[in-house]
């Protein structure tokens, strides 16, 4: 469908939220594979989603690009060329632009348009979407590709609006190049974004002050140019590689994990850690020992290994100490990957400040004031303070389901979903990589494809059976919530008190695990079994009314 600009025609078969990895594939699958009328919306002026907004220096993918890419069309994966092992943001954005072009997706997307509300019309069995362009759209199905890390955390620093310098957010970075030469730059936050940005900005800023609250276990990404012979090899074996990826906990074709860090000698363990450290990516985290995320004693061995490596790399022992996490297990906060991050602190122009006890009190016109009264004067203040992860993007859509039930109320004590795909009382609303699905603990493009395909399968099934509405039963939802919470209790995740995986980073957010921790293969098996059993746990009914 080419989008009509007429004010009278505001109907579609499906509304897609977003034009990132999820939204783009959803448009393609629903429109081109299923033949539905689709309209998509994105607040940005072009495609890209997270890769559109996160343009900060150093922004880079943490899963190898040959894996962090679509698999749905072999021609696409054969023709696209990645220059590096882990590509930087501009190249990933160029890839998504290419995908949009190749499948002619932009004609179905309304850019610079944000959905302001989504309301289920019980009588007509359709979703009614309003947008900030003042339009209203009606469609029986909504597929949300709103993303997991797309609503930046609101700055919680008093006085920030009075800062005389420039305030930048990693999650909403300017489109023009930002020059730091001759500038006193401050950055708050040392999560994945902060760590990537610090390593780059340290090279050009006159002075860089890092305000660190909780240190992270960052490990080398191991990026390098992609060897053409290796690329050819990947391409010759793509089908098997994708299959291996889909059969791995994290959605990458790693196969070297040993059962337990505690079952080998200290020397053997060290050799495994060294090997994974040198090979880079998430290998140390996910491909060293299978009990790292489950057994504290196993985890301690990896944590101590990383601390040792930090001490080797950072010249000043006090700074090394400050950069070394000690009060939460490795991997319970999302592990960042880095290139020369720790070496940045050996530079004379970089200062690390501990703001855990001496907290950021306020932003003053001249800089950042800490609670001990010290003022750190700055020209530029960068907020790398994270996102309202997983639930934030869905709640921002202002969704009201059956009988006036607001998603915000239904999820007041944490997300409630079935399979992380749908929520009871919110019919025909498919949440791509929604909370309580593997999402951010799975290779996102593959997780997205799995979920979009599952959503399409549900819609196709409804049409085949002459039905109009699918939604989870409250019982199935409760059981899934209990299952995801229980899985989390078997891991070390709840032991970190500052992890966005658990919602800890947003004041007032309920403390609940936001991801499915049973691993992508188990999750996919559960989805397959559900479908096979005739969409067990879902209620499938006729539509209440015809599309008005
Ligand atoms: P993260 O990982 O949530 O990191 C945010 C950082 O900002 C983290 O170091 C926070 O410290 C810090 N922060 C947040 N608020 C404050 C205040 N008020 N004072 C001091 N420090 C603060 O977000 P990222 O953008 O780095 O990464 C998100 C994901 O994007 C990443 O995992 C990838 O999947 C891509 P804290 O740890 O809470 O003490």
């Amino acid at each position: 469908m080419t989008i009509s600009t007429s004010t009278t025609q505001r109907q579609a078969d499906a509304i897609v939220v977003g034009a990132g990895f999820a939204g783009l594939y959803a448009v393609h699958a629903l429109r081109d594979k299923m033949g539905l009328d689709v309209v998509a919306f994105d607040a940005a002026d072009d495609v890209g989603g997270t890769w559109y907004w996160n343009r900060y220096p150093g922004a880079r993918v943490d899963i190898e690009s040959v894996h962090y890419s679509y698999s749905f069309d072999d021609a696409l994966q054969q023709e696209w060329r990645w220059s590096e092992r882990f590509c930087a943001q501009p190249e990933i954005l160029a890839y998504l632009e290419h995908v949009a072009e190749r499948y002619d997706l932009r004609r179905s997307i309304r850019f610079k348009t944000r959905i302001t509300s989504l309301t289920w019309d019980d009588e007509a069995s359709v979703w009614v979407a309003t947008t900030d362009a003042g339009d209203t759209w009606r469609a029986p199905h909504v597929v949300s590709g709103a993303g997991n890390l797309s609503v930046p955390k609101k700055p919680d620093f008093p006085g920030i609006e009075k800062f005389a310098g420039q305030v930048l957010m990693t999650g909403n970075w300017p489109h023009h190049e930002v020059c730091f030469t001759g500038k006193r730059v401050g950055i708050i936050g040392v999560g994945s974004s902060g760590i990537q940005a610090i390593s780059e900005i340290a090279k050009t800023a006159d002075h860089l002050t890092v305000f660190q609250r909780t240190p992270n276990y960052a490990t080398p990404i191991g990026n390098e140019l992609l060897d053409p012979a290796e690329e050819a090899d990947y391409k010759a074996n793509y089908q098997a590689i994708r299959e291996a990826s889909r059969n791995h906990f994290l959605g990458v074709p790693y196969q070297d994990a040993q059962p337990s860090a505690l079952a080998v000698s200290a020397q053997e363990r060290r050799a495994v850690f060294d090997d994974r450290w040198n090979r880079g990516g998430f290998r140390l985290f996910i491909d060293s020992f299978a009990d790292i995320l489950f057994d504290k004693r196993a985890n301690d061995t990896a944590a101590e290994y990383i601390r040792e490596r930090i001490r080797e790399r950072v010249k000043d022992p006090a700074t090394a100490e400050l950069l070394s996490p000690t009060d939460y297990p490795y991997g319970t906060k999302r592990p960042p990957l880095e290139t020369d991050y720790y070496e940045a602190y050996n530079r004379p122009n970089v200062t690390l400040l501990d703001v855990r006890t001496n907290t950021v009190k306020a932003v003053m016109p001249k800089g950042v004031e800490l609670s001990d009264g010290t003022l750190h004067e700055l020209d530029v203040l960068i907020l790398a303070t994270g996102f309202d992860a997983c639930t934030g993007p869905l709640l921002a859509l202002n969704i009201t389901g059956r009988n006036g039930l607001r998603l915000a109320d239904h999820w007041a004590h944490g997300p409630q979903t079935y399979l992380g795909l749908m929520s009871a009382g919110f019919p025909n609303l498919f949440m791509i990589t929604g909370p309580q699905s593997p999402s951010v603990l799975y290779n996102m493009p593959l997780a997205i494809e799995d979920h979009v395909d599952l959503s399409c399968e549900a819609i196709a099934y409804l049409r085949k059976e002459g039905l109009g509405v699918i939604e989870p039963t409250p019982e199935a939802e409760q059981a899934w919530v209990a299952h995801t919470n229980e899985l989390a209790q078997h891991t070390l995740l709840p032991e970190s008190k500052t992890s966005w995986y658990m919602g800890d980073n947003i004041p007032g957010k309920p403390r609940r695990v936001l991801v499915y921790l049973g691993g992508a293969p188990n999750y996919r098996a559960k989805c397959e079994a559900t479908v096979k059993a005739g969409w067990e746990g879902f209620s499938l009914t006729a539509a209440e009314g015809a599309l008005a």
Side-chain angles (χ1 to χ4, degrees), residues 149 153 156-157 170 188-194 211 213-214 333-334 355 360 384-387 498 500 505:
L149 296 154
K153 180 183 164 180
D156 46 6
F157 308 107
T170 49
I188 303 179
V190 293
S192 298
S193 308
F211 299 88
R213 193 161 62 183
T214 312
K333 275 166 89 75
R334 202 281 206 171
V355 297
V360 175
T385 45
F387 299 87
T498 63
W500 59 257
N505 65 326

Side-chain angles (χ1 to χ4, degrees), residues 132-146:
D132 60 0
D135 296 334
T136 300
W137 284 81
R138 296 164 73 79
H141 301 284
V142 171
V143 177
S144 169

Side-chain angles (χ1 to χ4, degrees), residues 207-325:
H207 195 91
L208 177 63
T209 305
V210 177
F211 299 88
Q212 170 188 277
R213 193 161 62 183
T214 312
N216 248 309
Y217 295 95
T219 62
I221 190 167
N223 187 36
E224 57 189 8
L225 291 178
L226 186 57
D227 173 3
E230 198 183 330
E231 185 191 359
D233 196 45
Y234 280 127
K235 288 187 174 176
N237 296 294
Y238 238 138
Q239 203 185 331
I241 289 172
R242 297 297 197 178
E243 218 169 288
S245 294
R246 283 197 155 88
N247 285 319
H248 183 277
F249 185 97
L250 195 72
V252 283
Y254 297 169
Q255 287 164 347
D256 294 338
Q258 298 188 19
S260 172
L262 305 172
V264 293
S265 70
Q267 209 177 4
E268 285 169 297
R269 196 163 51 228
R270 172 85 198 194
V272 169
F273 286 151
D274 280 346
D275 174 75
R276 309 303 188 267
W277 175 276
N278 293 333
R279 285 160 75 196
F282 284 123
R283 285 186 185 273
L284 188 74
F285 171 48
I286 209 75
D287 202 34
S288 56
F289 296 102
D291 52 354
I292 296 273
L293 202 54
F294 301 92
D295 185 320
K296 179 69 167 56
R297 287 178 313 140
N299 192 287
D300 284 344
T301 65
E304 183 46 36
Y305 174 83
I306 297 170
R307 286 191 288 265
E308 202 181 312
R309 303 304 302 254
I310 295 173
R311 288 194 288 271
E312 279 168 22
R313 290 170 64 181
V314 179
K315 285 188 191 143
D316 173 40
T319 305
E321 201 56 38
L322 203 51
L323 286 166
S324 301

